[in-house]
Amino acid sequence: KEIPHAATGELFPTRKGEVLWTHFVLDEDWVWTLKMGVIGDKERTSVLKVFQPYMGLLPEDETKSWSEATYNKCDVNSCWELYGIKDRNNYPSTGSTYHMRISVKEENAINWVTNWTENEKPTCPGHPYSSISESHSPLKQDIIWNISYRDTRRKSSYSINYFR
């Protein structure tokens, strides 16, 4: 019997109120490097290198490299992973802000998606509201997803997701 598991870098504890960042890079050798850490604390940075699709668990005659055509498209998104929410008391009281930056080395290498939307809108009583803004240049795109409540002043929080 196989035991399910996940591939991770070094695990670090976090404390309430700390803001986390994530960074994904596909290098010239077709290796993904995933990093995650705590803003302001470089000592708590976890790094994971992914050399092959599916962590190399599939037979090489099925897939062996990120350079294969099937991996030629990448979707970038964020998810506020809150399940079983029934009312406002179950939501984080401060809301959240996600800042995603996508960057490329060659100008206009990507046709930027400019109409960012939510595909899951909350409907339970007291749910937060959100707004999404997008800006871009030939080399990078920034998307800011702000989740907040209209009736309270929200403390600042900031999560950064990078993909290059």
Side-chain angles (χ1 to χ4, degrees):
K1 179 179 176 179
E2 289 189 33
I3 299 173
H5 63 280
T8 66
E10 186 175 355
L11 300 177
F12 296 100
T14 58
R15 292 178 285 286
K16 182 179 178 180
E18 290 183 316
V19 180
L20 306 179
W21 58 267
T22 57
H23 187 159
F24 305 86
V25 175
L26 179 61
D27 68 23
E28 296 81 19
D29 295 323
W30 297 98
V31 175
W32 279 101
T33 300
L34 293 67
K35 295 181 181 179
M36 184 173 191
V38 178
I39 289 180
D41 186 351
K42 292 180 182 178
E43 298 298 316
R44 287 187 289 163
T45 298
S46 180
V47 179
L48 175 66
K49 289 201 171 279
V50 184
F51 296 91
Q52 293 176 290
Y54 301 96
M55 303 300 292
L57 296 173
L58 295 181
E60 284 199 4
D61 61 338
E62 289 184 41
T63 186
K64 62 183 174 184
S65 172
W66 292 111
S67 65
E68 296 167 26
T70 193
Y71 307 112
N72 211 13
K73 181 180 178 188
C74 180
D75 292 319
V76 177
N77 60 61
S78 283
C79 180
W80 212 27
E81 296 193 32
L82 303 172
Y83 305 102
I85 300 292
K86 301 201 183 327
D87 59 40
R88 182 170 176 160
N89 294 329
N90 298 122
Y91 282 102
S93 62
T94 58
S96 189
T97 300
Y98 293 84
H99 178 189
M100 293 170 279
R101 172 169 290 155
I102 306 161
S103 59
V104 294
K105 291 182 179 181
E106 295 178 27
E107 288 192 3
N108 300 310
I110 293 180
N111 245 348
W112 302 120
V113 172
T114 58
N115 185 24
W116 287 71
T117 61
E118 276 184 271
N119 63 359
E120 296 177 355
K121 295 189 185 264
T123 58
C124 67
H127 67 79
Y129 296 89
S130 74
S131 63
I132 302 173
S133 63
E134 179 274 348
S135 63
H136 65 272
S137 72
L139 290 172
K140 72 177 181 180
Q141 180 181 44
D142 287 291
I143 302 95
I144 298 176
W145 180 28
N146 184 32
I147 303 169
S148 61
Y149 299 97
R150 292 183 178 158
D151 62 343
T152 60
R153 186 177 174 113
R154 189 174 65 78
K155 295 178 185 175
S156 177
S157 65
Y158 211 69
S159 296
I160 303 173
N161 297 298
Y162 285 110
F163 166 79
R164 293 184 189 197

